[in-house]
Amino acid sequence: MPRKTNTNINGRAYYRVTATVGKKEDGSAVRKQFYGENKRDAEAKRDEYMQGIKKGLSVDYDKLTFGTVFEEWLEHVHKPKLAISSAQRYEYDYRLRIKPAPFCRMKLVEIKAIDVQRFYNGLLAADVSVNSVRNAHKLLATFFRYALKSDMIIKNPLIAVELPKERKIQNKKMFLTRDDVSKIVNDAKHNQDSRIFVFLIFSGLRIGEALALRYIDVDAENISVNKSVKHLKIDGVFQPLVSATKTVGSTRKVPLFQELLPLLKAHKVYETEKHRRLGLTFSEKNIIFSSPIGDYLEPSTLRRRWERICNRLNIEKTTIHAMRHSFCSLLAQNGVNLKTASELMGHNDTKTTMRIYTHVQSEDKIMGIATLSNAFNTSFNT
């Protein structure tokens, strides 16, 4: 018995049913057609679609693929709210990590937790860092929350996804020792390359905040932290971008550690002479820690400088960010309360500061037990 059809498309017979699926802004009906091999097949597709509409999904939800919707959301919804550096990072995460994923070509409503879980597991198997996987998850989580609010999906698939645990690096050096600090301070007395590191240790500023400082931002009593600088590729050209501080709480005044005054004065003399040699005008609006050509110093240049200093002074290598942690640890060791330390660090809340304080307290406990051992100098061996 021949199957019953009622329409022909490109020489092939189908059965077509039509349903009203919504209304336009002017009140007129939105009609949608469903095609099947026969009447039962077409009606089943219609009924399945209408069930989605009844559950609150938007019209044409069945046509939305993840990749198409995600790119529209990233470009027109998410990126306009972000700083340029954050927008570029999210764009990078999408192009490099998410776009090649198999679920990127799937219909949005068909993506399940297992599809995303396979994606994360695949990244880890390819030796992508846990931190990179978690960054991709953060971006996906923001998108799926938007899709849920916009009635594109009924349930967020990420609810059932297991994130990989952070791989903690054992014995990672997060702070400079007192001996390290003494070496750097003494070196800065005759080596201008070390001065910025002394400044970082005793101010607690982030690298971008310190590199953005101008002389007008520092007086005899305070450091006014109100901007940050990053080097980004803008319109195909790698260049410095000065923007607001990381968070609202990051805009702050940090009392100037008075022992830094002689160092800053000596550095100002050096910068004045450097600008004279370069034929550049020097004023209070100049960058304090500038590059060899008087422009913003690149973080990569600063890292290489730090590596050379560590090698020369026999200091165990660590990141430059460890100087910020060292400042926080000095506050903890000298009894500065958590709230005050958090404000000086420019943290949005005290949780981040607390993690550093807890580490310092643990170190103090170890030192306390070691002190007991040294004090009694007693062996319990029999």
Side-chain angles (χ1 to χ4, degrees):
M1 181 177 176
R3 61 189 177 95
K4 187 177 180 180
T5 60
N6 61 5
T7 190
N8 191 287
I9 300 175
N10 296 328
R12 185 173 177 180
Y14 293 93
Y15 195 94
R16 178 180 64 192
V17 296
T18 306
T20 300
V21 297
K23 290 186 177 181
K24 300 178 183 178
E25 291 183 2
D26 61 5
S28 60
V30 176
R31 305 279 288 173
K32 184 175 177 68
Q33 295 177 337
F34 302 87
Y35 297 87
E37 294 295 321
N38 50 49
K39 183 179 180 181
R40 180 181 294 180
D41 185 28
E43 289 178 342
K45 290 180 180 179
R46 177 200 62 195
D47 294 344
E48 181 183 4
Y49 179 87
M50 294 307 294
Q51 279 296 111
I53 295 295
K54 287 179 181 179
K55 290 178 180 179
L57 292 176
S58 60
V59 174
D60 287 338
Y61 72 88
D62 61 327
K63 295 181 180 178
L64 303 175
T65 62
F66 174 89
T68 301
V69 180
F70 186 93
E71 290 188 10
E72 285 290 312
W73 166 79
L74 185 61
E75 185 66 30
H76 302 294
V77 178
H78 197 47
K79 282 172 64 174
K81 300 185 295 184
L82 303 172
I84 292 178
S85 57
S86 298
Q88 288 193 343
R89 186 176 69 252
Y90 287 134
E91 180 76 22
Y92 175 84
D93 285 340
Y94 172 62
R95 300 293 176 191
L96 183 66
R97 312 286 185 209
I98 299 173
K99 191 173 183 179
F103 69 78
C104 202
R105 295 177 291 279
M106 292 173 61
K107 289 182 179 179
L108 191 56
V109 292
E110 294 177 351
I111 296 175
K112 308 298 181 188
I114 192 63
D115 299 311
V116 183
Q117 192 71 65
R118 288 196 191 102
F119 165 61
Y120 291 167
N121 295 347
L123 289 178
L124 293 171
D127 288 330
V128 174
S129 71
V130 171
N131 189 51
S132 293
V133 175
R134 294 175 80 91
N135 285 340
H137 175 80
K138 181 180 178 182
L139 184 56
L140 286 174
T142 306
F143 167 73
F144 277 116
R145 283 195 298 271
Y146 168 81
L148 193 62
K149 289 179 180 179
S150 301
D151 297 327
M152 297 179 193
I153 55 175
I154 296 172
K155 185 178 179 181
N156 188 339
L158 297 189
I159 293 175
V161 172
E162 294 290 332
L163 265 179
K165 293 182 179 179
E166 294 185 55
R167 298 167 184 163
K168 294 185 179 179
I169 301 174
Q170 299 298 322
N171 301 321
K172 182 180 179 181
K173 187 178 179 184
M174 295 176 62
F175 307 91
L176 296 170
T177 66
R178 289 179 181 272
D179 185 49
D180 292 339
V181 174
S182 295
K183 287 179 180 178
I184 298 165
V185 169
N186 288 329
D187 191 61
K189 294 175 182 178
H190 53 79
N191 180 8
Q192 67 86 21
D193 280 354
S194 294
R195 289 170 185 163
I196 186 170
F197 302 116
V198 175
F199 182 84
L200 289 169
I201 292 168
F202 291 102
S203 68
L205 269 62
R206 299 177 178 89
I207 297 173
E209 294 171 344
L211 296 181
L213 282 178
R214 298 176 181 270
Y215 286 98
I216 55 174
D217 298 318
V218 180
D219 58 33
E221 297 181 351
N222 294 296
I223 305 167
S224 295
V225 184
N226 50 43
K227 55 189 172 298
S228 184
V229 64
K230 292 182 179 180
H231 282 73
L232 303 169
K233 185 172 285 189
I234 303 173
D235 297 328
V237 181
F238 196 64
Q239 56 187 292
L241 175 69
V242 180
S243 60
T245 51
K246 185 176 181 181
T247 64
V248 175
S250 298
T251 299
R252 64 201 186 279
K253 278 188 179 293
V254 178
L256 181 67
F257 183 56
Q258 291 300 294
E259 280 73 6
L260 287 175
L261 278 172
L263 178 144
L264 288 173
K265 288 179 179 177
H267 189 70
K268 190 173 185 178
V269 171
Y270 168 83
E271 285 287 320
T272 303
E273 176 59 22
K274 180 176 74 177
H275 279 68
R276 186 192 64 77
R277 292 196 310 270
L278 293 169
L280 301 174
T281 302
F282 185 86
S283 74
E284 293 299 304
K285 293 183 179 180
N286 276 82
I287 305 161
I288 296 178
F289 300 105
S290 71
S291 73
I293 60 172
D295 201 352
Y296 288 102
L297 192 62
E298 293 185 23
S300 58
T301 302
L302 198 62
R303 285 192 290 272
R304 289 193 295 271
R305 183 187 295 181
W306 173 239
E307 288 177 4
R308 290 195 297 269
I309 290 172
C310 286
N311 290 332
R312 182 163 50 80
L313 300 181
N314 195 27
I315 294 173
E316 183 183 346
K317 289 181 182 178
T318 185
T319 64
I320 297 176
H321 195 69
M323 293 170 205
R324 181 166 158 81
H325 283 178
S326 298
F327 173 76
C328 194
S329 71
L330 289 172
L331 298 178
Q333 290 166 0
N334 288 280
V336 177
N337 69 69
L338 186 64
K339 187 175 185 302
T340 301
S342 183
E343 290 173 354
L344 288 171
M345 295 286 289
H347 289 149
N348 246 12
D349 55 49
T350 59
K351 291 179 182 177
T352 304
T353 319
M354 187 64 203
R355 285 197 292 271
I356 302 174
Y357 262 44
T358 301
H359 180 91
V360 172
Q361 289 163 357
S362 298
E363 292 289 327
D364 287 345
K365 289 174 185 176
I366 294 170
M367 291 299 295
I369 296 299
T371 301
L372 282 178
S373 177
N374 292 334
F376 286 96
N377 194 24
T378 302
S379 173
F380 291 96
N381 293 328
T382 58

